Amino acid sequence: MTTAPGAYAPTPTRPVLTATGVTVTFPGVRAADAVSLTAVPGRVVALLGESGSGKSVTAMGLVGLAPGAATVSGSAELADGTELIGAPRPVLDAVRGARVAAVFQEPMRALNPLLTIGAQFRLALAAHRRMSAAAARDRAVTLLGQVGLGADAGAVADAAGAADAADAAGAGGGATSGTAERVLASYPHELSGGQVQRVCIALALANEPEVLLADEPTTALDVTVQAQILDLLRDLARAGMAVILITHDMGVVADIADDVVIMREGVIVERGAVGDIFAHPEHPYTRMLLDAVPRLGAGLVDHAVDAAAVADAEPVATRPPTGPAEPAASAPVVALTDLTVTYTRRGRRPFHALDHVDLRIDAGEVVGLVGESGSGKSTLANVVTSLQPPTSGEVRILGQRLDGLAPAERRRIQARTGIVFQDPAGSLNPRATIGASIAEPLVLHADLGAAARAERVAELLRLVELDPALAGRFPHEMSGGQRQRVAIARAIALDPALVVADEPTSALDVSVQAAVLEMFLALQRRLGFACLFISHDLAVVEEVSTRVYVLHAGRVVEAGPTSRVLLDPQDPYTRDLIAAVPVPDPARQAERRAARHAG
Amino acid sequence: MNRRTLARIGVLATQTLLVLVIIVALTFMVFSAWPADPALLACGRPCTPDRLESARVFLGYDQPWYTQVWNYLTGIVAGRTFGEGAGAIHCDAPCLGYSFRLGAPVTSLIASRAPVTASLAIGAAVLWLLGGVLAGMVSALRRGTFADRGIMALTVVGVSAPSYLLGLLGILVFGFTLDMVPVANYVPFSTSPIDWAWHLVLPWTVLAFINAAVYARLVRGHMLENLGLDYVRMARSLGLTERTVISRQVLPNVLTPVIPLVALDLGALLGGAVITERVFSMPGVGSLLMDAVGQTDLPVIVGVTVFAAAIVILANLVADILATVLDPRI
């Protein structure tokens, strides 16, 4: 975009920002301890760590953007000797934007909702230079062009991906030569997440900074959009920008980082060139992180082995289960036929959240459902759990048609369906003990005495590998992983025939995700429930499911055995999706990126 | 303002009109069922059964209730005439009824009092908006300091003290003890703008103080919330000075939910600041209502109620339109 990839010359250059011994403390907590870091023009330094590692507060603390309660000490010096830590606000104001700029994780929240993009550019430009309104507008158009929101193909692709947002803005005409002008006249909510993140990057570039702090810039984005934003950051670095990339994602690091700094609990545990770290991780924590990452293509083998091992160890757990007979044992647990869900809003075109979808889940089977945001995944989950009535088509759960079912019958079916949501902090009642939360379905649907209920809760906690003594705790007293285990325990409390897991591990750190997934799979094999496993993460889906459905804009574009779909995708969208996932292997990722650009 | 905004405003206006009609009908019906007989008030002395009956016919109370409602509604739109022939009394549109006790159409009674109430309410609203927003901003930006605590303590007083208490205290301290400001009466703006304002200073301050307390707390809360949001961090990361961040980025976000609220509160006051008008002997719509209640002057009570309801509903409409115009997401 800005320069050809070939223009990159990896000659070592003087750092433009040198941080030494940066320590960030919150009252009572040391979030980062003596962290040193350099930002070098043309290179991407990844600051990698799990949540709570202090990576973000460290980077933001360099320019005084750490949260108010934080105290930052140490040194962060620009090439000309300007010291940033402890600098008075006027000094920081002169540096921020003009020499060090930042982009953030949630692009939608990073822009002022009440100002047009054009107004936000005017403010950003006016912070460092006097310029006329016309000049500011021209500069903004140029910047938007640089980040792919000009008239070029990149913008068209992204705009097409964001068809919803563009429609909502009443400007669904697609990108033409007026794209930049249209963006400038828009409010943030009228653009897609990817477009807004491009706008944020363009704003950060407005005053030609030397260093770009990118704080999880793609975490909130879909994988295909992530790939585009990463390309953009990479191009910026190749054009001479020093990029500090804060991330938790090994794939992202492998994709664009030159150097990696790995942080854990506020301390740097390992650092080095990206190739070395991935090839020869020295610190056990680094190795653990690398092992915990679900990898596309790797899961298949593991899965087969695991399944065999478990089958040997626990002969009872063969599937389908031979337990209490399901209504019509041969009937699928879920059968959706020609299902359409349409949302109509006055003055808007009807929106087909699901468009003639067929889907089947057999007893004891784990079926993956993959799609990006807005693809209809959650609508489908709501239909299956009878929270959303279909507009047309047939929904059969446990062999029974949902429509026209008596409320009592419907409740009986709901009792056989468990749900695990993405955010356990949100789905567990914060004022109830976890024991009470787990017991809730038992109270509603099972006729048990208090003692029997407590016994069942203890048993469920053991099943999800938690200490039964934790039953008296409140959700806020537990870690994210523990909370998700609790949510799983609640979902299986009534021994369901079907569990719908809606992004159950995407809010968790990789190391925690690996453990929770393993436990969940073991549980599924042992109890034999069928599972609809919804995720945007292809590697995770590959690890857990035998068959997979790929959802795009409300339609099933591809369905089949997981290995077939992921290794030999037929639909162009599936292919793009798979190609866009960065793999945690720098060499392979470089090949994949090249292939993606060639294709 | 685009087409969608205009369409929304159209829908809101239609809804408002409908609600107005229903409110008028309901109010009229409630007061028609009142035990006091309005014909008794109009019949004069001595009130023979004959005269009572003719007063009833004269007022239209001999009609079935739905005809009465209809007559009342059409009276608002087209005016109406009570009685026939030489003794007939005509009430021009918009006719809200006729007070036989005061010998005047309710509409003109309200019209003569409305400027007083409007002066009081609008002046106070300007003061409380300025004061409340300023106090809230200072409080938020100086969080935890003496200024913040002081302002928050004052707001507790403002929120909890009833207006008559503050009003009487104000009269006692500033009116009598210090003898700084007049304590009662209203001077029309047309007579003397200076006297007008001078006589309103104390009531304005009391009303404004009470409302500003609520606004200060609201603004402080919104401000603190917004200061913690990502867009503020982003603005700071771009090198915007804190002044620019506050004035150009945070303030619009803080005021967007507050401005429609002013319309609502102002609407409630315009229907009659009953207690404040009473305390300061202001001949406004509120004291008109109080007098009417004291004397069971039913037509006035109904008329003022309908008037106040209409103002509140229109204020709601204005608030909704303001919200639509100010926030591009709605």
Side-chain angles (χ1 to χ4, degrees):
Chain A
M1 282 175 193
T2 32
T3 49
Y8 171 56
T11 43
T13 333
R14 254 181 89 218
V16 284
L17 175 65
T18 310
T20 31
V22 176
T23 298
V24 183
T25 51
F26 288 90
V29 188
R30 179 161 290 206
D33 195 3
V35 174
S36 298
L37 201 65
T38 52
V40 180
R43 287 183 84 78
V44 177
V45 184
L47 202 51
L48 178 81
E50 296 190 291
S51 50
S53 63
K55 57 191 190 300
S56 200
V57 287
T58 303
M60 289 302 143
L62 300 182
V63 284
L65 290 172
T71 318
V72 186
S73 63
S75 158
E77 213 175 67
L78 291 173
D80 67 359
T82 312
E83 172 60 49
L84 297 180
I85 289 176
R89 183 66 190 266
V91 173
L92 288 175
D93 283 342
V95 168
R96 291 176 187 165
R99 306 189 60 184
V100 183
V103 286
F104 302 95
Q105 175 167 353
E106 292 277 357
M108 279 299 179
R109 290 196 222 145
L111 293 184
N112 193 327
L114 298 183
L115 300 181
T116 61
I117 307 295
Q120 314 209 26
F121 268 104
R122 277 197 297 281
L123 285 172
L125 289 164
H128 295 285
R129 54 182 96 177
R130 246 171 225 294
M131 64 198 318
S132 69
R137 207 197 61 93
D138 288 348
R139 174 85 180 122
V141 170
T142 312
L143 286 162
L144 287 175
Q146 264 181 48
V147 298
L149 286 176
D152 68 359
V156 178
D158 197 20
D164 291 348
D167 282 353
T176 52
S177 57
T179 306
E181 274 84 357
R182 186 172 64 79
V183 169
L184 285 179
S186 302
Y187 289 94
H189 72 277
E190 296 171 332
L191 303 174
S192 71
Q195 286 173 318
V196 173
Q197 193 60 296
R198 283 171 195 270
V199 168
C200 288
I201 294 173
L203 278 168
L205 299 181
N207 292 295
E208 293 160 347
E210 300 146 45
V211 183
L212 184 65
L213 302 173
D215 188 357
E216 302 266 12
T218 59
T219 307
L221 304 175
D222 279 326
V223 55
T224 50
V225 182
Q226 160 170 295
Q228 296 164 14
I229 298 291
L230 290 179
D231 282 346
L232 175 58
L233 290 176
R234 191 186 165 74
D235 288 342
L236 286 173
R238 295 303 170 255
M241 177 82 76
V243 178
I244 296 179
L245 175 75
I246 299 137
T247 185
H248 69 281
D249 189 327
M250 287 286 186
V252 168
V253 172
D255 191 38
I256 69 164
D258 300 298
D259 305 294
V260 199
V261 175
I262 296 164
M263 283 184 74
R264 181 196 192 188
E265 288 166 11
V267 182
I268 294 178
V269 296
E270 188 163 4
R271 66 199 310 161
V274 74
D276 295 343
I277 295 280
F278 278 87
H280 316 287
E282 305 225 320
H283 196 279
Y285 180 69
T286 314
R287 280 201 291 273
M288 189 276 287
L289 273 184
L290 280 169
D291 287 344
V293 183
R295 287 154 199 262
L296 257 184
L300 294 168
V301 187
D302 295 347
H303 194 48
V305 173
D306 282 1
V310 171
D312 285 348
E314 284 185 73
V316 242
T318 48
R319 26 176 150 159
T322 50
E326 294 296 332
S330 61
V333 175
V334 176
L336 309 178
T337 317
D338 204 25
L339 174 78
T340 297
V341 174
T342 308
Y343 295 119
T344 43
R345 251 179 86 180
R346 208 167 24 172
R348 300 266 176 87
R349 265 187 309 156
F351 173 69
H352 300 292
L354 290 174
D355 196 358
H356 301 286
V357 166
D358 295 304
L359 181 139
R360 195 193 80 244
I361 304 173
D362 288 323
E365 185 187 29
V366 181
V367 168
L369 183 65
V370 171
E372 296 188 296
S373 51
S375 62
K377 284 177 305 194
S378 294
T379 306
L380 201 145
N382 288 344
V383 169
V384 170
T385 49
S386 67
L387 296 173
Q388 163 76 47
T391 308
S392 70
E394 192 188 78
V395 182
R396 272 178 193 276
I397 307 292
L398 301 169
Q400 277 188 294
R401 274 191 70 136
L402 272 193
D403 47 327
L405 214 55
E409 271 300 288
R410 186 184 292 263
R411 266 168 55 85
R412 208 185 57 76
I413 287 188
Q414 277 172 338
R416 308 282 342 248
T417 314
I419 315 174
V420 182
F421 295 100
Q422 170 170 357
D423 177 16
S427 64
L428 293 173
N429 183 347
R431 290 178 203 286
T433 62
I434 62 152
S437 282
I438 296 173
E440 208 175 4
L442 299 171
V443 175
L444 289 174
H445 294 285
D447 193 17
L448 290 179
R453 240 185 353 245
E455 184 41 49
R456 176 69 177 147
V457 168
E459 183 190 344
L460 286 165
L461 283 170
R462 272 191 295 271
L463 276 174
V464 294
E465 296 163 13
L466 286 177
D467 183 352
L470 294 178
R473 293 253 186 116
F474 287 92
H476 70 266
E477 297 173 310
M478 314 189 84
S479 70
Q482 285 177 320
R483 280 197 290 256
Q484 198 57 294
R485 285 170 191 266
V486 171
I488 292 170
R490 180 173 60 176
I492 60 166
L494 294 169
D495 197 10
L498 170 71
V499 171
V500 175
D502 191 353
E503 302 267 12
T505 58
S506 24
L508 306 177
D509 281 325
V510 273
S511 56
V512 181
Q513 162 172 300
V516 172
L517 273 183
E518 195 179 316
M519 181 276 296
F520 182 74
L521 274 183
L523 205 58
Q524 188 273 333
R525 285 187 204 114
R526 191 154 152 205
L527 302 176
F529 52 79
C531 176
L532 178 63
F533 194 98
I534 302 171
S535 180
H536 69 282
D537 189 331
L538 293 172
V540 168
V541 167
E542 180 181 20
E543 213 170 297
V544 301
S545 63
T546 44
R547 283 191 306 123
V548 66
Y549 289 80
V550 182
L551 211 54
H552 177 53
R555 288 167 191 271
V556 172
V557 293
E558 191 154 4
T562 309
S563 51
R564 208 276 295 146
V565 172
L566 295 187
L567 292 180
D568 182 23
Q570 299 300 309
D571 183 80
Y573 173 76
T574 319
R575 266 184 236 153
D576 288 348
L577 197 64
I578 293 170
V581 182
V583 297
D585 177 340
R588 251 189 80 205
Q589 182 54 25
E591 290 166 22
R592 283 164 57 88
R593 192 185 327 107
R596 184 154 52 84
H597 286 288
Chain B
M1 220 189 293
N2 57 24
R3 223 177 52 222
R4 241 184 76 207
T5 313
L6 285 177
R8 202 181 127 76
I9 290 173
V11 171
L12 287 174
T14 317
Q15 283 172 351
T16 304
L17 202 67
L18 220 88
V19 172
L20 263 177
V21 170
I22 294 171
I23 290 281
V24 168
L26 274 179
T27 312
F28 188 81
M29 275 155 57
V30 165
F31 285 106
S32 300
W34 211 251
D37 186 350
L40 211 59
L41 298 168
C43 109
R45 261 162 247 253
C47 191
T48 61
D50 250 16
R51 284 182 132 178
L52 188 65
E53 189 49 39
S54 66
R56 192 159 282 146
V57 174
F58 186 82
L59 290 169
Y61 287 117
D62 57 330
Q63 308 279 334
W65 67 268
Y66 46 87
T67 317
Q68 290 186 39
V69 172
W70 176 249
N71 285 340
Y72 194 81
L73 282 171
T74 51
I76 293 174
V77 180
R80 65 191 285 200
T81 306
F82 295 96
E84 281 165 5
I89 294 171
H90 186 70
C91 175
D92 288 326
C95 177
L96 293 171
Y98 189 89
S99 166
F100 284 89
R101 184 173 284 280
L102 298 172
V106 174
T107 310
S108 57
L109 285 173
I110 292 176
S112 69
R113 307 295 197 99
V116 182
T117 301
S119 302
L120 186 63
I122 294 172
V126 171
L127 274 182
W128 91 56
L129 184 59
L130 288 177
V133 169
L134 216 68
M137 280 178 65
V138 170
S139 216
L141 294 174
R142 303 263 176 278
R143 177 148 76 139
T145 62
F146 183 74
D148 179 24
R149 281 160 216 243
I151 289 170
M152 283 305 108
L154 271 180
T155 63
V156 173
V157 176
V159 170
S160 45
S163 60
Y164 57 81
L165 177 68
L166 289 176
L168 290 175
L169 270 177
I171 289 174
L172 187 69
V173 174
F174 298 103
F176 293 125
T177 311
L178 300 175
D179 201 14
M180 283 163 64
V181 286
V183 297
N185 296 323
Y186 172 79
V187 179
F189 186 79
S190 51
T191 311
S192 162
I194 294 173
D195 274 350
W196 168 79
W198 191 233
H199 278 84
L200 280 165
V201 166
L202 203 50
W204 274 345
T205 314
V206 169
L207 263 184
F209 182 68
I210 289 165
N211 285 288
V214 179
Y215 281 71
R217 292 182 154 259
L218 199 71
V219 166
R220 180 179 186 269
H222 281 313
M223 192 95 184
L224 287 176
E225 185 197 331
N226 271 277
L227 283 172
L229 293 182
D230 275 0
Y231 77 84
V232 170
R233 201 162 55 130
M234 174 83 182
R236 287 176 181 154
S237 84
L238 291 170
L240 271 65
T241 59
E242 199 60 18
R243 243 180 94 135
T244 318
V245 172
I246 301 293
S247 63
R248 302 293 299 277
Q249 303 252 15
V250 176
L251 209 52
N253 279 284
V254 169
L255 291 184
T256 297
V258 170
I259 301 270
L261 219 60
V262 180
L264 290 182
D265 284 342
L266 185 59
L269 269 187
L270 281 174
V274 176
I275 293 168
T276 312
E277 285 176 20
R278 203 61 171 182
V279 168
F280 292 99
S281 315
M282 293 270 159
V285 180
S287 46
L288 174 68
L289 179 67
M290 286 299 281
D291 293 342
V293 169
Q295 296 162 347
T296 344
D297 193 351
L298 215 49
V300 174
I301 299 176
V302 174
V304 172
T305 308
V306 168
F307 169 76
I311 297 270
V312 168
I313 291 164
L314 286 177
N316 267 290
L317 173 69
V318 171
D320 281 353
I321 291 176
L322 281 174
T324 308
V325 171
L326 290 176
D327 193 336
R329 288 165 298 181
I330 298 180

